[in-house]
């Protein structure tokens, strides 16, 4: 099977530009694509559902306000969105009475700030890419990697043949590879 | 998933070496990162979208639409209860406010008598709503705390406006907001933005 072409109706950059012009449909599509990555990053860093949801709201309010300032020539759309989210989450973290400016992405005594930033960016990239998969491919990949279920159990859970699970996993991984390559470019 | 799993187990035996190599990189990444959160809570989506609706610039047209609808309702009630051409006997009227998703839209809900089941008869007059996809319709419903609570009825516009009769739940005080949204015939669970809203005053 060859590489699957990545089909994206509208690029993230174009959606940000449209949002900057007050296009609400573009903003909603950005929300659909990035709500889970933003909430995921907020949860990892803030460790609390309520505050993570607040940070997610603040992130999208900031995207709406500042989309006009986005310049595609200065960097990728995903990196811009990541930075906006990062700032909103850090601002929320600073509001903690415990005075912790930032909670690491994953609890680890060894990893330093650079490693945390790297793992945070990796998680962001992968989670964002997952959101662009067709639902049936995203579902099998998330189940395969994070549910603890075997392929046979996934097939039973989704009520589809085992071969279908493998086909969808293969297609999803290929598509994911294409999206991640696109983000790196 | 076990770290020792073979990628071939996941994708099947017929993947070639070159393809496997490409997939192996993604496979490794997926095993490195933490899982994404489960689905986004509906309350968060609503908060994000409503909050940004409020901040949208140029609300002038929405304000004008609401003002026009309010003026029409006031005029209708200036001489007491309104009995329209079709004989609908209105006891109260609610002017709905357009959100940024339906600038220029307007609607008035007229509450009539209770029907034999104790539900309120409603006449809804709406206009200027955004165009629907083929087969879709609008829906008037009641919300409580920002969440769906009860459906009053579905409708479509003819030549940009509609006057339709429907029924409202008999205990209006159980709800806090009248809402009009679009209803997708393809995906009834699809999230749709609020187009018009008004507080319930039971």
């Amino acid at each position: 099977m060859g590489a699957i072409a990545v089909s994206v109706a509208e690029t993230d950059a174009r959606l940000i530009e449209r949002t900057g012009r007050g296009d609400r449909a573009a903003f909603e599509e950005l929300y659909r694509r990035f709500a889970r990555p933003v909430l995921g990053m907020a949860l990892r860093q803030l460790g609390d559902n309520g505050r993570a949801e607040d940070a997610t709201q603040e992130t999208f309010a900031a995207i709406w306000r500042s989309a006009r300032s986005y310049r595609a020539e200065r960097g990728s759309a995903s990196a811009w969105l990541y930075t906006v989210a990062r700032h909103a989450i850090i601002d929320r973290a600073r509001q903690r009475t415990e005075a912790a400016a930032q909670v690491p992405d994953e609890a680890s005594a060894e990893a330093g700030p650079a490693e945390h930033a790297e793992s945070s960016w990796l998680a962001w990239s992968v989670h964002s890419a997952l959101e662009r998969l067709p639902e049936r491919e995203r579902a099998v990949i998330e189940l395969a990697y994070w549910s603890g279920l075997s392929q046979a159990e996934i097939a039973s859970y989704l009520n589809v043949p085992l071969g279908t699970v493998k086909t969808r996993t293969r297609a999803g991984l290929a598509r994911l590879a294409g999206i991640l390559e696109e983000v790196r470019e | 998933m076990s770290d020792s799993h073979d990628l071939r187990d996941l994708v099947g035996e017929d993947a070639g070496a070159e393809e496997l190599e490409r997939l192996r990189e993604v496979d490794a990444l997926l095993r490195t990162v933490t899982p994404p959160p489960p689905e986004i809570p509906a309350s968060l989506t609503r908060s994000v979208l409503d909050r940004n609706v409020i901040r949208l610039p140029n609300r002038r047209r929405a304000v004008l639409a609401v003002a026009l609808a309010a003026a029409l309702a006031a005029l209708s009630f200036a001489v007491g209860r309104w009995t329209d051409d079709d004989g609908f006997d209105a006891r109260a009227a609610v002017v709905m406010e357009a959100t940024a998703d339906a600038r220029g839209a307007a609607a008035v809900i007229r509450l009539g008598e209770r029907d034999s089941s104790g539900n309120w008869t409603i006449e809804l007059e709406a206009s200027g709503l955004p165009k629907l996809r083929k087969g879709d319709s609008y829906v008037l419903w009641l919300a409580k705390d920002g969440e769906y609570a009860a459906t009053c009825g579905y409708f479509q516009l003819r030549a940009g406006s509609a006057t339709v009769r429907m029924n409202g739940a008999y205990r209006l005080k159980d709800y806090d907001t009248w809402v009009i949204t679009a209803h997708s015939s393809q995906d009834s669970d699809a999230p749709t933005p609020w187009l018009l809203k008004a507080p319930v005053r039971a």
Side-chain angles (χ1 to χ4, degrees):
Chain A
M1 186 175 71
I4 292 175
V6 177
S7 170
V8 180
E10 192 84 275
T11 64
D12 297 335
R14 174 88 180 117
L15 288 175
I16 296 171
E17 286 165 359
R18 284 174 51 193
T19 298
R21 292 197 295 273
D23 184 329
R24 185 153 169 74
F27 175 73
E28 289 189 8
E29 177 60 16
L30 277 178
Y31 178 79
R32 194 194 65 73
R33 289 186 189 181
F34 288 94
R36 282 217 308 166
V38 171
L39 181 61
M41 185 158 72
L43 279 169
R44 291 192 304 276
Q45 298 198 9
L46 299 169
D48 172 277
N49 279 338
R51 294 194 321 130
E53 290 185 20
D54 287 346
T56 302
Q57 279 193 47
E58 283 155 20
T59 297
F60 282 94
I63 289 169
W64 177 257
R65 285 195 307 270
S66 58
R68 196 176 300 182
S69 69
Y70 169 71
R71 297 287 178 273
E73 62 273 16
R74 291 188 197 160
S76 76
S78 185
W80 185 84
L81 291 162
Y82 173 79
T83 304
V84 172
R86 191 93 176 144
H87 286 159
I89 292 164
I90 289 172
D91 284 349
R92 175 58 58 172
R94 283 185 178 136
Q95 291 171 13
R96 294 185 67 173
T97 51
E98 295 86 355
Q102 190 177 345
V103 178
D105 246 16
E106 292 174 37
S108 164
E110 294 81 27
E115 288 82 0
H116 288 312
E118 174 69 14
S119 75
S120 180
W121 170 248
L122 271 182
W124 168 272
S125 301
V126 172
H127 293 172
S128 305
L130 279 168
E131 293 303 302
R132 289 166 61 176
L133 296 185
E135 175 57 30
R136 60 187 191 176
E137 292 173 10
R138 181 167 69 90
V140 291
I141 287 178
E142 292 190 8
L143 288 168
Y145 285 86
W146 296 306
S147 72
L149 296 178
S150 69
Q151 294 284 85
E153 288 167 332
I154 292 170
S156 171
Y157 176 75
L158 295 175
N159 197 26
V160 296
L162 179 59
T164 301
V165 171
K166 290 182 188 294
T167 304
R168 289 180 186 176
T169 305
R170 182 177 173 181
L173 289 176
R175 206 183 300 270
L176 211 47
I179 294 167
L180 289 167
E181 284 161 9
E182 185 187 74
V183 169
R184 283 191 206 114
E185 285 169 1
Chain B
M1 188 176 60
S2 161
D3 282 351
S4 61
H5 81 274
D6 186 339
L7 183 56
R8 279 191 185 279
D9 289 342
L10 285 182
V11 301
E13 296 295 327
D14 56 339
E18 190 179 336
E19 183 192 351
L20 269 183
E21 193 54 40
R22 186 165 181 255
L23 300 188
R24 203 173 296 286
E25 199 177 328
V26 183
D27 174 68
L29 268 179
L30 285 166
R31 290 202 272 149
T32 303
V33 301
T34 52
E39 294 304 317
I40 297 294
S43 57
L44 173 60
T45 299
R46 184 139 287 161
S47 298
V48 168
L49 300 183
D50 278 358
R51 178 174 170 171
N52 289 290
V53 164
I54 291 164
R55 292 179 179 197
L56 277 170
N58 190 14
R59 302 179 68 214
R60 187 177 300 166
R61 277 197 295 172
V63 170
L64 282 174
V66 171
L68 180 62
L72 282 172
L75 184 64
S76 301
F77 279 78
V79 290
R81 279 183 353 196
W82 178 3
T83 301
D84 66 19
D85 290 345
D86 297 330
F88 187 82
D89 198 5
R91 303 292 175 137
V94 179
V95 178
M96 299 191 79
E97 178 188 357
T99 71
D101 284 299
R103 288 175 179 147
V108 178
I109 299 165
R110 297 187 198 98
L111 291 173
E113 304 286 353
R114 286 179 181 273
D115 65 16
S116 56
S117 307
N119 293 322
W120 292 100
T121 54
I122 290 173
E123 186 175 76
L124 172 71
E125 190 173 333
S127 62
L129 285 156
K131 279 191 175 174
L132 294 170
R133 288 178 305 184
K134 192 176 180 184
D136 289 358
S137 55
Y138 303 103
V139 57
L140 172 69
W141 49 278
L142 286 156
K144 175 72 174 173
D145 299 328
E147 301 291 337
Y148 165 84
T151 300
C152 300
Y154 297 83
F155 63 100
Q156 292 180 326
L157 301 186
R158 295 278 181 273
S161 66
T163 302
V164 290
R165 300 274 175 89
M166 41 184 77
N167 290 312
Y170 76 105
R171 282 172 61 92
L172 286 179
K173 65 181 179 184
D174 289 347
Y175 312 98
D176 55 33
T177 313
W178 297 96
V179 183
I180 290 178
T181 55
H183 175 77
S184 169
S185 59
Q186 311 257 318
D187 179 5
S188 59
D189 293 329
T192 53
W194 290 16
L195 302 174
L196 290 142
K197 62 183 177 179
V200 172
R201 294 193 178 91

